[in-house]
Every structure is written in structure tokens, then in C-alpha cells.
Amino acid sequence: MQFENIENSNLVKQLQDFNQSHVLQFWNELAPTQRKQLINQLETFDFQLIDSLTQLASAESPWEKIAQAAEVPPAITLAQQSPDGLHYQHARATGTEALAAGKVGMILVAGGQGTRLGFDHPKGMFPIGPVSNRTLYQMHFEQVLGRSRQFGVRIPLYVMTSPPTHDETTQFLTDHQFFGMDPADVNIFCQGVMPAVDKDGKLLLETKSSVFVSPDGHGGTLEALARSGCLQDAKTRGIEHLFYGQVDNPLIQTCDPALVGYHLNSGSEMTSQVVRKTDWSQKVGNVVSIDGKVQIIEYSDLPEQYAKQTNPDGSLKLWAGSIAVHLFKLDFLERSLTQADSLPFHLANKKVPFLDASGTRVEPDQPNAIKFERFIFDLLPLAENAIVCEVKAEDGFCAVKNAPPAKSETPEHVKNAISDLHGRWLQAAGVELASGIIVEINPTFAADVETLKGKIPTGTKIAESTYFK
Ligand code: UTP
């Protein structure tokens, strides 16, 4: 086929070499602006990379071999975290000092498309406060604000969006005046995208003048932090550690001083919060140690026989489940940027609508495409002294993933989890709660039980659903 007025002959050659010329099949029908749009997009693609990733789809799975060597990671377990114990108190004191010295910042990733939830806006805009109806964004921003006030310091917040969520998120946060945070402390940065391919390795057209692309996974955080200047901004502010959380988990113990302390006291470059798996088949990433390096094996990659291994007392050997809460040393992130392939791409079979050769849009009902995503937790094996830190799931993890009638991770589950958690905080602070009521605490009122104790007199009785703010 002859392409009218196409200037970039090198690109045409690359498309031919990599068997992707079909993306120009509607070229001769396109208006000049559409042609420019298509060329601009194609020029951002690394065809060699896409080709080599596609080859991986037919490669033999390496996981059986990796799983054979999987041992338990170095951990601070709940048993070691007794609030009266010296270990915990030392960690809390160290973390408090670092926080009060302004050495900790927060990354919130919100670039996902929330397809399972089926909400028409960025997921952070989803209302989740059980009494207040606050959105996920408001909850996270106020958590950062609560910690800032608790430690008398400015904690910068870096929010990662993606091309599909960026503009609406920026508008929403601006309209709500960043929920009380100083705009100078909020940085919104956008992650990159990757194209998908069909089962034959061919790029998929979304329109006649654009190829389908989607966010490049939460692992895109590393590159996007650097490209956007956010890493430099953090450094300039004197930040030494970045706390990382995902927008769909409102239970995150944002910048928890004890976690920061364990991380510092262990000289860890990357610390991950984990829950103790309740069942071998629980759908969380398995945090393990292989040849002395901590790493995560996705639940779908860990062969059953290894997931089922038990200790002599019957408990699960590979017990640590990732909840996607991490703490990074900033120097470590900088070093990882210089290491080629520090974050490999993972392949996932997904349904991707596309234009067929006749220009008709096809909505597949089965996975028809391979998407390529990077995962942030792949940084773990590169980190020196990486540790995991156990948290009770009900205290730190309940993510909004699914729309009803799903049986788990629905908005209703998450609202109940928030009310239950805050109810436990109130009881720990000596407050009596009538049964069946819903409670919610704004973190600017109290960021944790410790702070709550100073706010509400012991013996206070709460008879109806209440939002403490
Ligand atoms: P999930 O993988 O659960 O994706 O992301 P999701 O977008 O929330 O939902 P589905 O899978 O489309 O239904 C976990 C977290 O990682 C972020 C998401 O915003 C969420 O906070 N994420 C995911 C990114 O920031 N970028 C990505 O490319 C993918």
C-alpha cells in the first residue's frame, strides 16, 4: 500500500520490520490533523520492546523454579509489635522524629481505570465515607493533613494519575481546594501508557487515527516520578523517604510512625506492609525471600503446591500477603532509575475493544489482547535490607475493587470496614458505643488511637451514628 504524504520513512520501515503496518491501513482516509496525531503517537512507541515482550507470551513460566526457592521474608510480625513493648516504642519514637523533621512524603497512586468498579469517573472520586460520604480522595488528603498536624510539619503529597484520569482528577482536586492541603504541597503527576497487542502480536487500533494504549501499571510510578520532577521536588524539600499507597484503600495507615521507625531502624531501603494470609488461596501477592532478596510472587503465579506448604504447627509457611503499602528510601528510588530493567513488564490477558480491518468496532466478550504493565513491588529485590511489616487486615487494608453483587471488595464492605476500625479506635480510647451504629473519624480530628485518647473523655457514650470531625 502507498501512503500519501507520509514524511517519516524511518517509521514506515519500522512498522514493516515489526509487522505492524496495519496501523496505517486507514491512512489515506485521514485528515491532516488525524495523520499528525497518529504519527505523533506511533513515534512514542518502542517497537523492539513491544516485540520482545510479545515473545514472552509463549515463553515457559519461570515461577515453578522461583517458587521452589521461596522462603519467608525478614519480618516484623504482630507478635513483635506489642504497643507496650520496647521494640514498638523505639520504632514509634524513631518514626516520629523522622516525620517531625519533615523527612517523609507521600505518594498516592490513582492512575488505574477502575474497570471492575464500573464507576464513570476516576476511582478517587468515589464516595466511601460511611457517615460523611467523603470521597476516596478526600479521605487520603485528610489523612495526610492529619499527620501533618500531628507532627507539626508539611508532608508533600504526590498524586499519580494517568492520561485517562488526569484532567478530571486535577479539576476535581482544584475545585475542592485540595481538601484543605496547601496547594504548594500537592503535586499531581501523570504516568505513562503502553499499547496492547492481539494474540498475534499486532497493535490494536482504537480509532482510525489512534492505537489503543492504557496506563503502564503502578510500576510506572518510578519513571513518572522522575520525569515529572516530583522526585527532585521531594529531594529539594529534604524528603528522605516516600510512603506509597493506592487510592482504592482508604484504610491505609498513612505515614504511620511505627512503620517509618521499623524501616529506619532496620536500615531498609524498601519496606512493605503485609497481612497474614488466612488461606493459602487468598488473592494477594506473596511476599517471599529468594536467595536473600525479598520479592513478590503474584497469587496467580505461585503454584498451588508451594502456596499450600505449612509449618509444623499447621500455619502457612508463605504467610505474608502484600497490601500494596510500601515505604521507599528516596536514594533507593534514584538508584533504581539508573538500573536498566529494574521494573520488568508483566503480561495480562484482557478484553480490549478495537477496529477490525473493515473499520468496524469490535467489543470482545473474551480476552483478546495482551496488556503490558509494570508493578511497583518489583523494586523489592533491588533494595538493601528490605523488610516486611505485618499489620492486621482490619487495621490497614480494605480496597474498593468491585461493584455489587460481587462478594468481596465492594463499596459496602469498605464502608463497614472503616466504621468497624473507627469503632475499635473509639473503644480503645474508652468510649462506649451503642450497638449497630456507624462511626467515622476524620483524621484531622484524630489520626490514630493515641491522638483520639486526648480528644474524647473516657466514658463518653455514643448512642447514634456519628462523624467525628
Ligand atoms: P488495580 O490493579 O486494582 O486497578 O490498581 P484499578 O484501576 O483500581 O481497577 P481495575 O483493575 O481496572 O478494576 C491498584 C492501584 O494501582 C493504581 C490504581 O489506581 C489503584 O490505586 N494503578 C493501577 C495505577 O496508578 N496505574 C496503573 O496503571 C494501574
Side-chain angles (χ1 to χ4, degrees), residues 102-243:
K103 292 184 181 170
V104 182
M106 167 88 188
I107 305 168
L108 182 69
V109 303
Q113 291 176 288
T115 34
R116 284 169 286 172
L117 185 60
F119 179 56
D120 241 4
H121 304 281
K123 212 193 248 186
M125 290 167 62
F126 192 84
I128 201 73
V131 185
S132 68
N133 226 23
R134 287 180 298 154
T135 59
L136 282 162
Y137 271 133
Q138 182 169 357
M139 297 195 86
H140 288 294
F141 274 63
E142 289 178 341
Q143 266 156 228
V144 176
L145 202 54
R147 287 296 190 201
S148 299
R149 292 188 184 160
Q150 184 180 9
F151 297 108
V153 72
R154 295 165 72 153
I155 299 180
L157 172 60
Y158 302 94
V159 182
M160 186 171 84
T161 59
S162 60
T165 64
H166 186 77
D167 291 348
E168 203 176 350
T169 299
T170 307
Q171 189 65 50
F172 177 75
L173 294 175
T174 312
D175 288 349
H176 289 86
Q177 281 127 31
F178 306 100
F179 299 106
M181 281 191 71
D182 184 333
D185 292 336
V186 181
N187 287 274
I188 307 173
F189 67 106
C190 189
Q191 71 177 104
V193 290
M194 271 297 276
V197 294
D198 69 12
K199 299 284 157 83
D200 299 319
K202 303 258 193 177
L203 296 168
L204 294 155
L205 279 179
E206 185 168 33
T207 67
K208 290 183 177 179
S209 57
S210 64
V211 171
F212 172 87
V213 291
S214 59
D216 58 359
H218 40 68
T221 310
L222 180 65
E223 200 177 282
L225 265 178
R227 186 176 5 93
S228 62
C230 287
L231 209 54
Q232 187 54 47
D233 176 85
K235 213 174 160 177
T236 309
R237 286 169 183 258
I239 298 296
E240 293 178 10
H241 305 273
L242 283 163
F243 198 97

Side-chain angles (χ1 to χ4, degrees), residues 64 67 280-281 299-309 316:
E64 172 80 31
W280 70 267
S281 61
Y299 64 86
S300 47
D301 291 325
L302 183 63
E304 196 173 314
Q305 69 188 101
Y306 300 103
K308 280 181 167 166
Q309 295 172 97
L316 282 178

